[in-house]
Amino acid sequence: MKDMDIAEVAQRSGLPASTLRFYEEKGLIASIGRRGLRRLFDPGVLERLSLIAPGRTAGFTLEEVAGMFAADGSLRLSREQLSAKADALDRTIRRLGAMRNGLRHAATCPAPSHMACPTFRRMLRIAGATQSSGAGRMASVPKSTKGARSPKKAFAKGNR
Amino acid sequence: MKDMDIAEVAQRSGLPASTLRFYEEKGLIASIGRRGLRRLFDPGVLERLSLIAPGRTAGFTLEEVAGMFAADGSLRLSREQLSAKADALDRTIRRLGAMRNGLRHAATCPAPSHMACPTFRRMLRIAGATQSSGAGRMASVPKSTKGARSPKKAFAKGNR
DNA sequence: CTACGAGTTCAAGTGAAGTTGAGGTCAAGC
DNA sequence: GCTTGACCTCAACTTCACTTGAACTCGTAG
């Protein structure tokens, strides 16, 4: 397989070209050269890209993910780091599991209100224990998945 | 128990006053009145606050959480909504479980590089299947307790 | 040669969830 | 009567992960 241009990488990875450029800027991927202006990517970039989403799912920022790659492109993660991440993930899983059970229960619970149900309340207690090391967002359902965007709106304020 | 001022709510809920004001602005909580300038809160606000963090953990935005409260402050969630959320949570849990296993394995795997390990690669395949309902950030290592993202997945097209 | 389309740069915008800061108000204490 | 400290408002700033837009450059087709 030979070098790919950005469109091909986009197509194979499912990521928009803008994201690929952004990732390159952030040091997450690198183009192997240029043909004219155009970036050329080694097919290996696909493997690298395949590591980024999971990294994010596991709770790393892009910057952290970038730090996991060694200069040669290999993954640079110690056993301790892997274990620590697995442990963190495990705690999250347990918490989410308790929530799922609570929700499941509430869906069939005869209590007059959810708050009147001890199971539901127990779930809240567990879910609320989001303090120590794994508070977080699980990206909500993509409801308005990029449908109509407002064309342009005057000026905006606060930003850099 | 009588009305509480913002400092007391902050203290009991563990949330900074700025967050409580922000939540009020967003319609997530309401103060029961004022004494002079100062907000007075009903103790019931604590219960309400106790629902917000779990809601976010379960993948709702603040706006969505706000929509779950009925006018009287009770929870307004249908069985279907609860079940759907439980299902979504379940999918997320499974995905995270696979990742945890992959990480756990990689931590003890004798393969020369993580990418050379089939178990690790399998984990990536699963973790990467982050499209429909639960892609997300799980707040990374507690560098500073803040920040949460909600990525908007650009739908993948010609992936293969 | 000109047009086209796909690529490029760089700056600015977006949205979520808050935080921070300046300047203002008020009740209580000295 | 003045200061203090807790609270107030409102706007601006922050972080993260991208996206969008304008203006530009190529290589290729006609």
Side-chain angles (χ1 to χ4, degrees), chain B residues 2 19 23 32 55 78 93 104 119 148 159:
Chain B
K2 29 197 282 276
T19 299
Y23 281 180
I32 202 66
S78 69
I93 288 167
R104 204 77 96 188
T119 299
N159 206 355

Side-chain angles (χ1 to χ4, degrees), chain B residues 13 20 22 28 39 46 49 52 54 79 87-88 108 116 122-123 128 133:
Chain B
S13 67
L20 297 174
F22 175 73
L28 284 146
R39 288 164 180 80
L46 294 174
L49 286 169
I52 296 175
R79 300 189 183 302
D87 290 348
T108 56
R122 187 153 46 77
M123 182 268 277
S133 77

Side-chain angles (χ1 to χ4, degrees), chain A residues 5 46 57 101 119:
Chain A
D5 74 350
L46 294 173
T57 300
N101 296 343
T119 299

